[in-house]
Amino acid sequence: MLAELRAYVKEQSEAVSGLLDVYLAIGRPFLLNSNICDEFNRYCAETGCTALAGSPLAKMVVKTQEAAIRKPWLYLDVRLRVGRWRYLRIHLESLLIEEVSTVDFLRVKEKIVKDPALVDDWTLEFDLAPFERDFPKLKEPRSIGRGVEFLNRQLSSQLFQALGKGDRLLLDFLYLHKYRGKQLMLNRQIKDVGELRDGLHQADDYLADCDANSQWEVVGPELEALGFAPGWGRTAKQMRRTFALLSDILEAPEPSQLEKFLGRLPMIFNLVILSPHGYFGQENVLGLPDTGGQIVYILDQVQALEQELRNRNHDVGLDIKPQILVVTRLIPEAGETTCDQRLEPIKGTEYARILRVPFRYENGEVVPHWISRFEVWPYLARFAADAQGEIMAELGRRPDLIIGNYSDGNLVAYLLSHQLGVTQCNIAHALEKTKYLHSALYWQDNDPNYHFSSQFTADLIAMNTADFIISSTYQEIAGSKTIAGQYESYSSFTMPDLYRVVNGIDVFDPKFNIVSPGADAKVYFPYSEKKRRLTQMDDDIDSLIFGGPRPDTRGVLADRKKPVIFTMARLDRIKNLTGLVEWYANSPQLRKLANLVLVGGYIDAGASGDQEEQEQIGRMHELLNEHGLDGQVRWLGMRLDKQFSGELYRVVADNGGVFVQPALFEAFGLTVIEAMASGLPTFATCYGGPLEIIEDGISGFHIDPNHGAAAANRIVDFFTRCRQEPAYWQELSAGGIDRVESRYTWKRYANRLVTLSCIYGFWHYASDLDRQETRRYLEMFYNLQFRPRAEGMEGGN
């Protein structure tokens, strides 16, 4: 690439110099991919320089994620493909092109944002590459997010090629399975692999002569005499299938068979899910600060996981009731929520509970009030220690799996799994680093409000210590062809005066797995299923959308015959509801074709305790006033429960409306799934999960939130076509429903997550997945970097 680029720049030096002058004229030290590409295209169009289009330079421009200007050089951060980066610099006068190292590129960025004389060559560098040198990693971008498949192929071949080693490890692993002192799978009568093989043959011969539906009470005594214990199956037929799987693996191990066998093992009975920040409750919490889709996700996740674990236990012949604890913060000053209750049963489950543990000050006093997710870091170490005792008391034993949620929950998951020796699963939901422009580079400016230095350090530690990581989409890990993923953005970055990350999170690590959540099928179902509709809500919904003034609404729709553009989200900058209102306001055609109804935030800024939300509320009022939108926009400043919101989606669909999710970035997009499942044609951001959820033009539409006019025009085109072709609305509605039913269900999610837990549990036991060198390095980083930063925060422990 470099040689070809040099030759081209030399040949077209005049045109290239002109382009560089354009970049310089912008007057900013850092340019993003959108700036670089937009200016390139504008320059080509205005100068008529068609030679640049399709040239090696054009290809590099598209792949450049960021440019940094420090005269006399222009530095380029070029993403050749997913996870593969090169750093170049072009001399602004001579047009000399050179490659620079990751460290050199980061050092230049530091010199731009601070006094160059103060940039220290001995800045601490976070670099895991030396510790991971011999660890198996994926190579192909298309394999990212399918880590368990890679491990099964890679490690099973290595393990079983060593004569007898793999067989013996599998035998020893089966010995480990117990529940409250009761032996499962194998008893000690089988002493070696040879005896296991013989036992499997004898057991199969015996079961072949039994009734296929015979259960352990009938066949158990004979099987126990052969060395087997409960856990192989509920019926003789199921037991034979599991015996056959193991026999095949011992004969000739095949990765898919190994995965199927390990996924059947009874390993997960007690599960802990961590979500410390926000208000974690089942009612009256949505819309409160830091409280949104993650709560819905976890509550739906818990119901699905409990059902999955119960089904699995039943199928292997065990009458064990799984226990799930969602561990969160206890908030004494909880308002109208239940967040001041220590223990709360989770609706729709039998054995799942919310366990709340308070934050404490250094003197042990309980913190009584809510604390922003950006401010929780000083309290997490004490919280983890207190939670450990509470968890052990509730479960009566250590959990079999710990799942962390978001940055704070993932850090606590690390602390607990480290202490208890339990498999750790992380779910990011959203990594703040990609939400806020140059958040790491300007961390010192951001830290008073956001404390990114603590959060990004916690992310590096937690993600690298997790046994496996669940991602909702491929985009979340590795982005797209042109845009880096959330995790990929942690591969290298700098926080000046703190440390540089040279090799942070590697998206080719086999710990990443894509497991997409779903929408609650009991709540979000197609509008066409009339018998299931909650018609008792019709009057209330009609009043909310088309009714007169209320204290918690603004705007009264003048023409109720027009279809509705519907959106619902937290009222913060990233969710971009004010951006959608601005697109609508500036599109006369869209205003003529449809009304806009939005649910988010409060109408009165004084009712919010969140500064960013207050700013967005003010901006919303400005837009409504400036453009005179009160007859075309209905703003509902309220929180809606799930059942009501599900029916609201369907009512909007009844009237030929659409759902729009305009976020600047969305990690996954639960509202997108909910709207599609309800049959509502959906337009959603092209940045993040929705890019993968929606097949553009088939099950919905992608829109670019950075180009509002184009997004508005796309919605205009849809409504216009629907007027001309009424069947077109139905076509998109059906496409969305089909997409969700085939890819995004909680049943699929729960099955996959439990299977992954079993497989990673085995490989953790059978190989060096623990990566002791890396863990020791991260322990040091936690103690020397994270703890001092967290404890130094105002009000910290």
Side-chain angles (χ1 to χ4, degrees), residues 112-123:
I112 291 173
V113 301
K114 58 179 290 188
D115 184 343
L118 300 178
V119 174
D120 186 359
D121 287 341
W122 289 98
T123 295

Side-chain angles (χ1 to χ4, degrees), residues 311-560:
N311 291 345
R312 284 176 178 244
N313 288 344
H314 178 272
D315 289 346
V316 298
L318 300 175
D319 295 320
I320 297 172
K321 310 304 182 188
Q323 295 191 76
I324 301 177
L325 291 179
V326 177
V327 181
T328 187
R329 255 198 83 192
L330 186 142
I331 307 173
E333 297 174 1
E336 298 178 359
T337 76
T338 57
C339 296
D340 57 348
Q341 297 180 13
R342 175 183 176 272
L343 208 60
E344 180 182 354
I346 295 178
K347 297 172 184 176
T349 71
E350 291 189 45
Y351 312 104
R353 309 180 293 286
I354 300 171
L355 172 64
R356 298 187 179 92
V357 179
F359 284 172
R360 294 182 183 274
Y361 292 115
E362 189 175 3
N363 62 7
E365 182 182 348
V366 170
V367 178
H369 52 272
W370 165 83
I371 293 175
S372 162
R373 72 184 187 276
F374 298 115
E375 305 284 343
V376 299
W377 307 107
Y379 305 97
L380 294 183
R382 176 70 176 266
F383 175 82
D386 292 346
Q388 180 176 331
E390 299 273 5
I391 290 166
M392 296 295 288
E394 283 299 318
L395 297 179
R397 63 193 295 270
R398 71 177 188 173
D400 303 304
L401 174 67
I402 294 175
I403 300 175
N405 290 274
Y406 193 70
S407 298
D408 48 12
N410 289 331
L411 185 74
V412 176
Y414 157 63
L415 296 173
L416 283 172
S417 63
H418 182 74
Q419 287 294 108
L420 297 173
V422 175
T423 302
Q424 174 193 348
C425 168
N426 283 3
I427 306 175
H429 294 283
L431 293 165
E432 301 287 349
K433 185 173 172 293
T434 54
K435 286 185 178 183
Y436 297 84
L437 188 60
H438 299 309
S439 51
L441 193 60
Y442 292 100
W443 70 271
Q444 287 163 310
D445 297 333
N446 290 315
D447 249 34
N449 292 324
Y450 297 111
H451 301 286
F452 285 145
S453 62
S454 294
Q455 183 162 11
F456 299 166
T457 304
D459 287 335
L460 285 170
I461 295 168
M463 297 305 169
N464 280 298
T465 54
D467 292 294
F468 67 103
I469 296 172
I470 293 300
S471 167
S472 296
T473 62
Y474 180 94
Q475 312 291 327
E476 189 178 334
I477 309 169
S480 63
K481 266 189 173 182
T482 56
I483 300 170
Q486 286 191 72
Y487 288 100
E488 191 179 2
S489 75
Y490 279 73
S491 60
S492 64
F493 62 93
T494 181
M495 290 193 282
D497 294 327
L498 193 58
Y499 57 82
R500 299 181 191 120
V501 176
V502 181
N503 289 286
I505 293 176
D506 186 352
V507 295
F508 290 95
D509 196 303
K511 68 175 60 181
F512 286 102
N513 291 274
I514 300 167
V515 185
S516 300
D520 186 341
K522 298 187 296 295
V523 176
Y524 304 104
F525 55 86
Y527 74 99
S528 56
E529 297 185 17
K530 301 296 184 184
K531 292 182 179 180
R532 299 177 65 189
R533 295 286 295 269
L534 308 177
T535 54
Q536 68 272 20
M537 296 181 177
D538 285 354
D539 290 342
D540 289 338
I541 291 175
D542 188 80
S543 176
L544 267 185
I545 298 178
F546 300 108
R550 296 169 39 138
D552 52 3
T553 70
R554 176 169 175 180
V556 176
L557 301 180
D559 183 358
R560 64 175 295 157

Side-chain angles (χ1 to χ4, degrees), residues 8 62 64 176 184 186 210 247 255 260 263 286 290 296 363 470 475 486 488 608 628 750 757 762:
Y8 180 80
V62 170
T64 298
L176 297 179
L184 304 176
L186 294 180
C210 297
S247 295
K260 190 180 296 184
L286 294 182
D290 295 341
V296 177
N363 62 7
I470 293 300
Q475 312 291 327
Q486 286 191 72
E488 191 179 2
S608 172
S757 303
F762 170 71

Side-chain angles (χ1 to χ4, degrees), residues 202-400:
Q202 293 178 57
D204 187 65
D205 289 342
Y206 166 70
L207 291 175
D209 294 330
C210 297
D211 185 287
N213 294 316
S214 298
Q215 298 189 13
W216 188 263
E217 290 75 11
V218 175
V219 303
E222 183 69 24
L223 294 180
E224 285 182 335
L226 293 173
F228 299 98
W232 294 90
R234 178 159 292 273
T235 66
K237 182 178 181 179
Q238 290 171 319
M239 294 177 206
R240 291 190 70 195
R241 286 176 181 169
T242 311
F243 286 147
L245 270 175
L246 181 55
S247 295
D248 289 344
I249 291 167
L250 294 175
E251 178 68 22
E254 201 273 322
S256 63
Q257 295 291 85
L258 182 64
E259 178 173 330
K260 190 180 296 184
F261 175 72
L262 293 173
R264 288 185 178 211
L265 296 182
M267 294 172 59
I268 311 296
F269 305 109
N270 297 291
L271 174 60
V272 167
I273 298 173
L274 290 154
S275 182
H277 78 258
Y279 290 84
F280 198 104
Q282 301 176 83
E283 294 178 354
N284 302 322
V285 296
L286 294 182
L288 293 176
D290 295 341
T291 308
Q294 181 178 319
I295 307 299
V296 177
Y297 178 109
I298 294 173
L299 290 174
D300 288 347
Q301 174 197 53
V302 167
Q303 291 186 43
L305 285 172
E306 185 188 75
Q307 189 60 52
E308 177 68 21
L309 293 174
R310 290 175 65 183
N311 291 345
R312 284 176 178 244
N313 288 344
H314 178 272
D315 289 346
V316 298
L318 300 175
D319 295 320
I320 297 172
K321 310 304 182 188
Q323 295 191 76
I324 301 177
L325 291 179
V326 177
V327 181
T328 187
R329 255 198 83 192
L330 186 142
I331 307 173
E333 297 174 1
E336 298 178 359
T337 76
T338 57
C339 296
D340 57 348
Q341 297 180 13
R342 175 183 176 272
L343 208 60
E344 180 182 354
I346 295 178
K347 297 172 184 176
T349 71
E350 291 189 45
Y351 312 104
R353 309 180 293 286
I354 300 171
L355 172 64
R356 298 187 179 92
V357 179
F359 284 172
R360 294 182 183 274
Y361 292 115
E362 189 175 3
N363 62 7
E365 182 182 348
V366 170
V367 178
H369 52 272
W370 165 83
I371 293 175
S372 162
R373 72 184 187 276
F374 298 115
E375 305 284 343
V376 299
W377 307 107
Y379 305 97
L380 294 183
R382 176 70 176 266
F383 175 82
D386 292 346
Q388 180 176 331
E390 299 273 5
I391 290 166
M392 296 295 288
E394 283 299 318
L395 297 179
R397 63 193 295 270
R398 71 177 188 173
D400 303 304

